[in-house]
Amino acid sequence: MLDPRLQTFLVLCDTMSYTRAAKQLCLTQPAVTQHVHYLEKHYGCKLVSYQGKVLRLTPAGERLREMVRSLSYNSHKMEEALASPRPAVLHIGATKTIGEYVLGPDLGRLLREYPECTVSLTVDNTKALLEALDRGTLDFALIEGFFDKARYGHRLYRREEFFGVCAPGHPAAGRELSLDGLLAENLIVREKGSGTRAILEEWLHFHNHTVESFARVTEISDFSLIKSLVRQGLGISFLYAPVVEQELKEGSLCRLSLGASPVVHEFSLVYLPDNLFIDRWSGWLSGLSDQ
């Protein structure tokens, strides 16, 4: 069971307000302050401080937050395991590229190898999944976007190519172009917070451009709609290979040739550090090979 004072500290980290933390915990504000002061005295360091009127975590507070998040997760999983004779639900997160176009065979293998297991899969963007990991509502997440490797435990899932696509009848189809030659196009792109967009933004930044460098930007969260618009010749997009594999085979989409080295990015299995339960699924995890 997690010490209530550590739970208070976690809520304060999330809200960065003594008033909001007290309201969420159904405590008085002095009680929240007392809990934090106790922890500061116990650990012998300042955990929070005000910069002007803004409450901030100190470096020691940031370190404690990461450790307590893992401790809270492990405590919850132990209580869950002991409270019921049935196996606990495995909560998996996956970004949209992985959840919709990659994970199917591996998820099928999980269900075959662990027939007693109940699985809950959440498909969302990278930002939302990392926030869910921090809250302890996911056991692990399969992520295509960027994350802080110093903050999370992680294992390589696979590697995939990332490239631009257009309609077969598009003027850029079959031609080798520079990035500058595409800036007059309508760029159809995922929403902010998605891994697909983050990879594109990093690649554009490397070439001294941004998403806003394009003449027009259309922001859409759904892959099917993105591909439909590109097939209609209404713009170009940049996607991972599994997302457009079928369309490239059918010839309804064409890969853009930009004359640069292909972009290959890692998909990672990400979890809170010191996760005591990750090895429960070691048989399945060992089959998540580097491809």
Side-chain angles (χ1 to χ4, degrees):
M1 182 175 66
L2 189 68
D3 188 304
R5 289 164 292 204
L6 291 174
Q7 184 62 47
T8 297
F9 177 69
L10 272 187
V11 173
L12 182 63
C13 290
D14 290 337
T15 61
M16 294 313 297
S17 163
Y18 283 100
T19 302
R20 290 194 295 270
K23 184 176 181 180
Q24 185 171 325
L25 291 163
C26 298
L27 296 173
T28 64
Q29 188 170 326
V32 173
T33 302
Q34 185 179 30
H35 284 188
V36 174
H37 285 171
Y38 172 87
L39 294 174
E40 290 179 329
K41 183 178 180 181
H42 178 77
Y43 292 114
C45 57
K46 193 73 174 170
L47 299 175
V48 295
S49 64
Y50 278 98
Q51 296 180 8
K53 295 183 178 181
V54 180
L55 188 66
R56 305 282 190 192
L57 291 176
T58 66
E62 291 177 354
R63 291 195 299 273
L64 182 63
R65 176 186 60 187
E66 301 312 314
M67 290 185 283
V68 175
R69 278 177 172 163
S70 297
L71 185 62
S72 177
Y73 168 82
N74 286 324
S75 175
H76 171 73
K77 295 300 290 186
M78 286 188 288
E79 291 173 4
E80 188 180 68
L82 292 172
S84 172
R86 298 185 61 189
V89 177
L90 176 61
H91 297 275
I92 303 174
T95 48
K96 288 192 175 183
T97 296
I98 297 173
E100 295 180 14
Y101 296 96
V102 176
L103 185 58
D106 288 319
L107 187 59
R109 183 169 56 82
L110 172 67
L111 296 176
R112 288 191 296 272
E113 293 180 2
Y114 298 87
E116 77 286 356
C117 178
T118 299
V119 175
S120 172
L121 175 65
T122 299
V123 177
D124 212 326
N125 64 39
T126 297
K127 181 176 181 293
L129 294 180
L130 291 176
E131 290 173 351
L133 276 177
D134 289 341
R135 293 193 303 270
T137 56
L138 291 178
D139 294 305
F140 54 81
L142 294 159
I143 286 176
E144 70 202 64
F146 297 104
F147 63 95
D148 186 351
K149 290 188 174 181
R151 183 175 173 184
Y152 297 96
H154 56 90
R155 304 181 185 188
L156 179 66
Y157 176 32
R158 60 197 291 161
R159 293 184 176 92
E160 292 290 352
E161 269 196 275
F162 182 81
F163 49 79
V165 291
C166 66
H170 192 282
R175 296 174 54 203
E176 185 164 313
L177 299 170
S178 66
L179 175 58
D180 288 344
L182 292 174
L183 296 180
E185 296 292 334
N186 175 30
L187 175 65
I188 305 174
V189 66
R190 287 281 311 281
E191 77 282 1
K192 292 180 180 178
S194 75
T196 299
R197 180 166 179 147
I199 301 305
L200 174 60
E201 288 177 334
E202 184 197 42
W203 181 75
L204 290 173
H205 180 74
F206 178 78
H207 292 279
N208 300 309
H209 287 294
T210 68
V211 166
E212 288 72 27
S213 299
F214 287 82
R216 185 180 178 190
V217 177
T218 302
E219 190 173 290
I220 297 174
S221 64
D222 182 73
F223 281 125
S224 296
L225 185 52
I226 289 175
K227 292 188 289 184
S228 174
L229 294 176
V230 174
R231 285 197 302 269
Q232 295 175 60
L234 297 174
I236 64 170
S237 191
F238 290 80
L239 301 165
Y240 281 105
V243 178
V244 292
E245 181 180 6
Q246 188 61 38
E247 288 79 7
L248 293 177
K249 286 181 180 178
E250 296 169 349
S252 59
L253 288 177
C254 291
R255 179 169 173 166
L256 291 171
S257 179
L258 297 177
S261 299
V263 178
V264 178
H265 188 71
E266 294 180 353
F267 292 177
S268 300
L269 184 141
V270 184
Y271 47 91
L272 290 177
D274 303 315
N275 183 325
L276 300 179
F277 293 84
I278 196 72
D279 288 335
R280 174 186 295 185
W281 314 102
S282 58
W284 180 66
L285 295 175
S286 64
L288 298 179
S289 58
D290 173 14
Q291 299 184 36

